[in-house]
């Protein structure tokens, strides 16, 4: 047991270094004011795919139309919705004072070789004529300076693509317990700065080949300079990819373009899911895809997370009962580091510190989901999302 605890502590120390470094580099978009731009500023096309989004589409579109940037359009694609999404969009088109900036298009039938979101985004890109293309999910909403901040950041940081991880609004118990682990995994494993700049410790002759390894993106909000987006083939180049956002980021870096990740504070917010059932269905469709369907790696990471986040708690209880001092110290260090991570993230993102105490339970939830996903893979079982097989 001591050996396993040393593995857990080593992993936690390693991720502590990454987490603290990311605290410096995972920053919000640059500040920007309306007076900094004119009507000749780059045109921005905000592209929003919408399939069965009647509950959230109005807030999203109203916030997008409220931008204080002078040169933008909002294009929404109704992706063959079967609910009241189309009616909501029609009402917005008729009644919103900024409706002249809004274009609503009806999605074409999806070809068999395409996945739904990529097909919708490809149609949006074809309808857009902006110098900058923003792709945002319908469950997001914008602060009024978001577009201005995107334009200023792309110019100031000299990037061809940027992705923003939204401020996640968490309401129910399950949202508060599970959603933070997405950000925890991102910020404790990926050095955010390497998304923008290749590691300097890496020999120059291999930096280009390894650069795409550090590519990551959040499909809830991505912005591209139009020429870079079209040069990599747009969404057509990732038409059959479940995690199309990450694949687009890889293609950007492979093509020699630059990209960067930012935090959505004061610019973009999102509420991903509303119940445990929705969360499970949402993560089930892309959990294994996030590992590029590498089953050995998927299983290895599952075991490592069990050893790091669940086993120390079990051993700590056992050590307290048996008063095994060496195990008590080792397990106590592991659990303390784990909770330190969660408390740091709670202060950073304004999440509940008390929910951080349930980190091992949250990891256990993902462990159960992983077993379901492995079973889906072995049984060659497809999952469904918004009425479509994936």
């Amino acid at each position: 047991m001591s050996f396993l605890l040393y593995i857990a502590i080593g992993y936690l120390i390693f991720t502590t270094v990454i987490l603290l470094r990311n605290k410096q580099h995972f920053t919000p978009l640059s500040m920007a004011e309306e007076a900094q731009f004119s009507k000749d500023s780059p045109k921005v096309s905000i592209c929003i795919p919408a399939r069965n989004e009647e509950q959230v589409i109005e807030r999203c579109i109203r916030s997008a139309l409220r931008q204080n940037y002078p040169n933008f359009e909002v294009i929404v694609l109704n992706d063959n919705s079967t609910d009241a999404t189309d009616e909501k969009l029609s009402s917005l088109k008729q009644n919103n004072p900024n409706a002249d900036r809004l274009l609503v298009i009806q999605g074409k039938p999806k070809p068999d070789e395409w996945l739904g979101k990529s097909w919708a985004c490809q149609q949006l890109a074809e309808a857009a004529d902006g110098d900058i293309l923003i792709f945002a999910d319908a469950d997001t909403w914008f602060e009024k300076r978001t577009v201005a901040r995107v334009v200023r950041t792309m110019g100031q940081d000299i990037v061809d693509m940027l992705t923003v991880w939204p401020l996640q609004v968490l309401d129910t118990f399950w949202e508060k317990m599970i959603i933070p682990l997405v950000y925890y995994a991102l910020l404790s494993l990926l050095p955010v700065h390497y998304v923008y700049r290749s590691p300097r410790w890496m020999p120059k002759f291999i930096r280009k080949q390894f650069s795409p390894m550090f590519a990551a993106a959040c499909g809830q909000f991505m912005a591209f300079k139009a020429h870079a987006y079209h040069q990599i083939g747009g969404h057509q180049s990732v038409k059959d990819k479940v995690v199309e956002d990450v694949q687009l980021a890889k293609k950007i870096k492979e093509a020699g373009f630059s990209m960067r990740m930012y935090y959505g504070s004061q610019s973009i917010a999102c509420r991903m899911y509303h119940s445990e059932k929705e969360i499970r269905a949402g993560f089930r469709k892309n959990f294994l895809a996030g590992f590029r369907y590498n089953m050995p790696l998927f299983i290895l990471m599952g075991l490592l997370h069990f050893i790091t986040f669940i086993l120390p708690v079990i051993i700590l209880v056992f050590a307290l009962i048996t008063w095994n001092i060496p195990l008590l110290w080792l397990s106590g260090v592991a659990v303390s580091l784990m909770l330190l991570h969660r408390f740091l993230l709670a202060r950073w993102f304004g999440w509940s510190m008390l929910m951080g105490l349930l980190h091992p339970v949250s990891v256990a939830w993902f462990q159960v989901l992983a077993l379901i996903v492995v079973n889906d893979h072995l049984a060659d079982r497809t999952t469904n999302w918004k009425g479509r097989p994936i």
Side-chain angles (χ1 to χ4, degrees):
M1 284 193 290
S2 296
F3 176 71
L4 295 176
L5 287 172
Y6 280 120
I7 292 176
I9 292 171
Y11 180 81
L12 286 164
I13 291 174
F14 174 73
T15 53
T16 298
V17 174
I18 296 176
L19 194 59
L20 291 175
R21 185 174 173 82
N22 281 340
K23 185 68 171 68
Q24 296 177 310
H25 296 296
F26 190 57
T27 58
L29 296 168
S30 301
M31 295 300 293
E33 300 298 334
E34 185 176 9
Q36 296 173 323
F37 302 98
S38 69
K39 291 183 179 180
D40 296 325
S41 297
K43 183 175 182 179
V44 177
S45 297
I46 305 174
C47 304
I48 303 170
R51 178 172 171 82
N52 296 339
E53 302 286 4
E54 64 179 5
Q55 299 298 323
V56 296
I57 193 64
E58 285 189 87
R59 177 172 59 181
C60 177
I61 305 306
R62 289 184 189 280
S63 69
L65 290 172
R66 221 170 28 235
Q67 296 303 296
N68 65 356
Y69 184 77
N71 191 13
F72 75 96
E73 63 179 354
V74 178
I75 309 174
V76 187
L77 180 131
N78 176 27
D79 187 12
N80 300 286
S81 298
T82 56
D83 63 359
T85 296
D86 194 40
E87 289 82 351
K88 300 275 188 179
L89 291 172
S90 296
S91 177
L92 284 166
K93 185 65 178 172
Q94 295 171 7
N95 302 318
N96 194 283
N98 297 315
D100 58 318
R101 294 187 182 271
L102 176 61
L103 172 64
V104 177
I105 58 179
Q106 299 299 318
K108 300 174 184 177
K110 184 184 73 67
D112 292 340
E113 67 273 18
W114 286 73
L115 289 179
K117 184 175 181 180
S118 289
W119 174 239
C121 289
Q122 181 66 27
Q123 294 174 80
L124 285 163
E126 291 171 357
D129 63 356
D131 303 296
I132 294 173
L133 307 179
I134 293 176
F135 295 93
D137 283 356
D139 56 3
T140 62
W141 59 96
F142 299 56
E143 196 271 338
K144 68 178 182 178
R145 293 168 293 178
T146 298
V147 169
R149 296 182 74 174
V150 166
V151 175
R152 180 166 176 77
T153 300
M154 294 189 89
Q156 180 173 284
D157 291 349
I158 315 176
V159 292
D160 302 292
M161 172 193 174
L162 65 78
T163 183
V164 180
W165 292 77
L167 172 71
Q168 296 294 335
V169 177
L170 310 175
D171 187 21
T172 66
F173 169 83
W174 290 104
E175 292 170 83
K176 293 175 183 178
M177 189 177 80
I178 297 170
I179 301 300
L181 259 69
V182 177
Y183 281 56
Y184 178 78
L186 172 76
L187 296 172
S188 64
L189 289 173
L190 176 68
V192 169
H193 192 56
Y194 293 167
V195 175
Y196 175 59
R197 179 176 295 149
S198 297
R200 291 177 179 173
W201 50 263
M202 188 176 289
K204 288 184 178 180
F205 68 93
I206 62 171
R207 285 181 187 174
K208 186 174 182 180
Q209 291 88 334
F210 280 84
S211 179
M213 289 179 56
F214 298 102
C218 178
Q220 293 170 337
F221 191 99
M222 300 186 297
F224 299 82
K225 289 181 179 176
H227 72 92
Y229 173 82
H230 292 300
Q231 187 167 323
I232 65 170
H235 279 80
Q236 184 172 6
S237 66
V238 294
K239 63 183 179 182
D240 58 347
K241 305 299 183 184
V242 177
V243 284
E244 82 293 334
D245 45 7
V246 176
Q247 294 304 315
L248 284 168
K250 288 182 181 294
K251 288 185 176 296
I252 281 287
K253 300 199 75 173
E254 287 170 353
F257 294 113
S258 61
M259 69 162 293
R260 199 161 188 165
M261 298 199 315
Y262 300 87
Y263 174 46
S265 175
Q266 301 179 38
S267 57
I268 187 84
C270 176
R271 187 177 179 190
M272 296 172 66
Y273 306 111
H274 295 72
S275 68
E276 191 273 340
K277 183 179 179 181
E278 287 185 9
I279 297 171
R280 180 163 23 92
F283 287 144
R284 184 176 180 178
K285 67 181 170 61
N286 57 19
F287 199 5
L288 184 56
F291 288 81
R292 302 183 68 178
Y293 298 96
N294 186 328
M295 187 60 71
L297 178 61
F298 187 72
I299 294 173
L300 177 63
M301 289 303 297
L303 288 173
L304 182 58
H305 279 203
F306 176 81
I307 292 170
T308 303
F309 300 117
I310 298 176
L311 189 61
V313 177
I314 297 173
I315 295 177
L316 179 61
V317 174
F318 171 78
L320 285 170
I321 294 173
T322 61
W323 202 241
N324 187 318
I325 301 300
L327 288 181
L328 186 62
W329 273 103
L330 288 173
S331 59
V333 169
V335 171
S336 297
L337 284 171
M338 178 199 320
L339 295 180
L340 178 64
H341 288 185
R342 285 304 303 269
F343 291 160
L344 175 62
L345 286 174
R347 286 184 60 85
W348 189 355
F349 296 114
W351 295 332
S352 167
M353 289 193 178
L354 289 177
M355 295 303 294
L357 296 172
L358 295 178
H359 184 79
V361 181
S362 306
V363 173
W365 184 92
F366 274 98
Q367 297 272 305
V368 173
L369 180 63
L371 293 175
I372 295 172
V373 169
V374 169
N375 184 55
D376 288 340
H377 182 74
L378 295 177
D380 198 24
R381 184 183 299 115
T382 59
T383 58
N384 288 279
W385 183 248
K386 296 191 176 181
R388 287 173 172 161
I390 294 179

